[in-house]
Amino acid sequence: MLIEAHEISRVYGVESASVAALRPTTLSIAAGEFVAILGPSGSGKSTLMNIIGLLDRPSTGTFHLNGRNCAGLTDDQAAELRNKLIGFVFQSYHLLPRQSVLQNVELPLIYAGVRRAERRERAVKALAAVRMSHRVDHLPSQLSGGEQQRAAIARSIVTSPSLILADEPTGALDSATGWEIMRLLIALNRTGRTIVLVTHDSKIAQLASRIVTLRDGDVVSDEMVVSLQPDATAQNQRQRDEAA
Ligand SMILES: Nc1ncnc2c1ncn2[C@@H]1O[C@H](COP(=O)(O)OP(=O)(O)OP(=O)(O)O)[C@@H](O)[C@H]1O
Ligand SMILES: [Mg+2]
């Protein structure tokens, strides 16, 4: 299993002011899956995502990523594992405003200690993969929202991570542009990358192959869209094909 969470929970704050953002949750995600985490605002989606992405630690329970128990990791070790294994995509892109698109995409490779020429080459390739070759020298502010998200996706894949975590990647985009971003994620999943996508939009979630639904910090359903629902399979496949 790529991701194995056993009875993980997350409580923010203390005593009377505490919030149970995530109640004890057991969840496994295998390599190659495309999982949507679906739920309304405040249901704990980002809380779960942050634990999966080693940006936060559970209050209780155990979490294994790629076979490794993450409880004992120092912050530096967590950062190193994160850089090696995970690409992040956020609703608000998180591009550095004074750096060009190319420089933004190269950034994770600087942290990874990749030398300059190879950095350039890999960033150019990642940008080509998201059809952004014509915008490499632009600043983020000179791009549309969809283009900024494509640049952010290029940045997330430039280290060749096996896992991509996307928290509401279509949340700031109009629906046509949102579908375009979903097409890119589906294509990345077809090249073998595991995708975990957070969304509050059930139409977007339907494009995944599995939907984990959260409500008030609890997993209220966990369904394989493709393999367990024969009737839904054809429709889901059609939607995915149309989108791709
Ligand atoms: N740092 C924090 N301190 C205190 N409470 C928090 C913190 N982060 C989240 N919460 C609370 O935990 C609950 C779950 O938050 P979370 O951000 O995981 O929800 P979400 O499903 O991602 O919502 P949204 O769709 O609005 O992003 C909410 O009630 C929220 O107020
Ligand atoms: Mg959130």
Side-chain angles (χ1 to χ4, degrees):
M1 281 295 157
L2 181 62
I3 294 165
E4 266 191 295
H6 183 72
E7 296 282 304
I8 58 165
S9 70
R10 181 67 167 98
V11 179
Y12 291 112
V14 286
E15 293 176 8
S16 61
S18 71
V19 177
L22 186 67
R23 294 173 203 279
T25 294
T26 296
L27 182 74
S28 300
I29 297 176
E33 284 198 81
F34 188 152
V35 179
I37 297 172
L38 175 67
S41 182
S43 58
K45 304 182 298 295
S46 295
T47 300
L48 176 58
M49 196 68 141
N50 290 342
I51 294 171
I52 293 175
L54 307 182
L55 296 167
D56 189 18
R57 292 169 195 255
S59 307
T60 64
T62 55
F63 181 71
H64 286 76
L65 184 62
N66 208 22
R68 192 141 169 209
N69 186 342
C70 297
L73 297 179
T74 64
D75 288 349
D76 282 351
Q77 287 171 325
E80 194 188 328
L81 194 59
R82 198 158 58 223
N83 192 270
K84 232 197 303 198
L85 221 60
I86 308 175
F88 290 92
V89 181
F90 302 96
Q91 174 172 353
S92 51
Y93 326 124
H94 292 193
L95 297 167
L96 297 179
R98 285 181 188 76
Q99 306 264 304
S100 71
V101 164
L102 188 64
Q103 287 170 324
N104 267 283
V105 174
E106 278 186 37
L107 208 60
L109 297 177
I110 294 179
Y111 298 140
V114 176
R115 66 191 167 80
R116 196 190 169 90
E118 188 186 336
R119 274 199 324 252
R120 186 58 43 107
E121 191 183 315
R122 285 169 66 177
V124 164
K125 246 195 191 158
L127 282 160
V130 299
R131 291 176 291 103
M132 281 289 288
S133 301
H134 58 311
R135 292 285 185 267
V136 290
D137 294 324
H138 281 58
L139 293 172
S141 61
Q142 299 168 323
L143 303 177
S144 71
E147 287 171 336
Q148 289 185 62
Q149 195 56 298
R150 273 151 62 195
I153 290 175
R155 182 189 54 194
S156 80
I157 61 175
V158 77
T159 52
S160 302
S162 41
L163 173 62
I164 293 173
L165 300 182
D167 194 342
E168 297 276 10
T170 64
L173 303 172
D174 63 64
S175 66
T177 312
W179 283 90
E180 194 187 309
I181 293 303
M182 286 305 294
R183 272 199 291 277
L184 274 178
L185 293 176
I186 291 166
L188 288 171
N189 178 238
R190 286 185 174 162
T191 67
R193 289 189 175 83
T194 308
I195 314 250
V196 182
L197 164 93
V198 160
T199 182
H200 63 270
D201 182 339
S202 60
K203 280 210 198 78
I204 292 285
Q206 286 297 328
L207 292 171
S209 46
R210 173 178 167 196
I211 303 176
V212 174
T213 306
L214 289 181
R215 197 148 298 143
D216 296 330
D218 268 317
V219 172
V220 292
S221 81
D222 183 348
E223 294 175 315
M224 304 295 287
V225 179
V226 173
S227 61
L228 292 185
Q229 298 180 0
D231 291 343
T233 304
Q235 192 194 348
N236 174 269
Q237 201 54 52
R238 216 166 29 243
Q239 269 178 335
R240 286 167 67 92
D241 286 344
E242 269 169 29

